[in-house]
Amino acid sequence: MTKTQTPPGVDRIELMQTFVRIVDTGSLSAAAERLGTTQPTVSRRLQALERFLGLKLLQRTTHVMKLTEDGERCYARARDLLDNWGAMEADLRGVADEPEGRLRVLVPHAFGQRHLMPLLADYLARYPKVSVEWLLQDRRPDFIAEGMDCALHVGELDDVDLVATRVSEVPRIVVATPELAAAVAEARHPADLAGLPWLALRTFYRDEIMLRHVADQTEHRLPIRPRMLTDNLYALHHATLLGMGAAVESAWMATEDIQAGRLRQLIPDWQAPPLPIYLMHPYARYYPARLRRFLEIIRQAMPPVMDGRPLAIAPS
């Protein structure tokens, strides 16, 4: 290819942003969706960038798209340039720049509905120029490919190339209906619960539960044969309320029903290990104001322990 002048009206930054988004998402159509434009527009921008640089950046077939050697170098430089451009904008505008644009957030399904909706409402009320794509799914996202800004994750994390801040933890307790609880009224040790029917949350336990003594941290593993295995916290809770079996539940999910007498906590001196809650987002040299403000609200509102009390949202 022969390097040419950029046609009048073509924004080089926009061309590089488009190229980076194509690589990050893995396809022209996915890049178009993330950028809020059409696939032909994305294709034209890629062709314009290749013409301007005089280089072939991507090798494309019907089913495969991969970076050329020049494309790999261009991608690395473009990412650095875009990060620096964002940092320059933030510096010139100052830290008080007004949040605007779309924020894409992934939160756990049940937790996101029960506890985080008031926080989301507060965030949107404070920043009227921001819109939020609020995704309720119990999984870790591919931040780059999905264009995700941040996520809340419940549970331990493997090594990940992300910024992950532990913001809270979730106590987990053993609960059952009063009728089932009456059958083990004298229970003091996990072994005393072996004869109960059990329900299991496959995300965290399947064929055994590990309980820890609150005072001395003694641990006991109790084998179980679940009558129902589910991946949904609401389904587990509903099944427990219907008396289908005992279960290990997040304290915040069970607290209201325990107070109302619909459930009872079994062997209160023993609990399952608490689950950490992490706030995650990709590392970048520059974070847009909409993300910075959202992260601040999350950190301020999340108590150290999620035990059933509502989030304390600071006044704006």
Side-chain angles (χ1 to χ4, degrees), residues 153-156 172 201-206 208 250 275:
H153 175 82
V154 177
E156 295 295 345
R172 295 187 296 158
L201 188 66
R202 60 181 298 175
T203 315
F204 298 113
Y205 64 99
R206 292 170 179 254
E208 73 170 16
S250 299
L275 297 174

Side-chain angles (χ1 to χ4, degrees), residues 235-288:
L236 179 78
H237 184 65
H238 194 196
T240 308
L241 286 170
L242 291 173
M244 295 167 61
V248 172
E249 286 200 5
S250 299
W252 64 262
M253 175 67 85
T255 296
E256 183 178 323
D257 289 302
I258 292 173
Q259 293 172 346
R262 292 183 289 268
L263 291 177
R264 287 186 185 172
Q265 182 179 357
L266 307 182
I267 53 171
D269 291 336
W270 294 80
Q271 296 185 3
L275 297 174
I277 303 177
Y278 289 96
L279 178 60
M280 306 185 302
H281 55 87
Y283 171 78
R285 294 181 184 177
Y286 159 75
Y287 299 107

Side-chain angles (χ1 to χ4, degrees), residues 176-189 191-196 264-269:
T177 58
E179 292 76 16
L180 278 178
V184 289
E186 303 301 319
R188 295 293 180 270
H189 188 272
D192 299 330
L193 307 179
L196 288 175
R264 287 186 185 172
Q265 182 179 357
L266 307 182
I267 53 171
D269 291 336

Side-chain angles (χ1 to χ4, degrees), residues 214-256:
V214 175
D216 61 23
Q217 299 298 292
T218 303
E219 294 182 353
H220 181 83
R221 294 185 179 274
L222 176 66
I224 61 173
R225 297 181 63 183
R227 300 193 64 197
M228 187 189 83
L229 189 65
T230 181
D231 64 350
N232 184 277
L233 195 57
Y234 277 130
L236 179 78
H237 184 65
H238 194 196
T240 308
L241 286 170
L242 291 173
M244 295 167 61
V248 172
E249 286 200 5
S250 299
W252 64 262
M253 175 67 85
T255 296
E256 183 178 323

Side-chain angles (χ1 to χ4, degrees), residues 9-67:
V10 173
D11 185 335
R12 296 181 191 180
I13 294 294
E14 182 180 62
L15 297 183
M16 284 185 288
Q17 286 173 331
T18 300
F19 172 61
V20 167
R21 185 61 74 186
I22 291 170
V23 177
D24 287 345
T25 60
S27 73
L28 300 184
S29 58
E33 181 181 353
R34 295 286 179 265
L35 293 167
T37 187
T38 64
Q39 183 173 334
T41 297
V42 168
S43 181
R44 284 194 297 271
R45 290 177 186 172
L46 173 61
Q47 292 168 11
L49 181 61
E50 289 181 326
R51 285 196 302 270
F52 169 68
L53 295 174
L55 300 170
K56 188 69 174 176
L57 302 177
L58 290 171
Q59 295 286 358
R60 286 179 287 164
T61 65
T62 305
H63 302 292
V64 178
M65 183 182 73
K66 60 183 293 187
L67 285 167

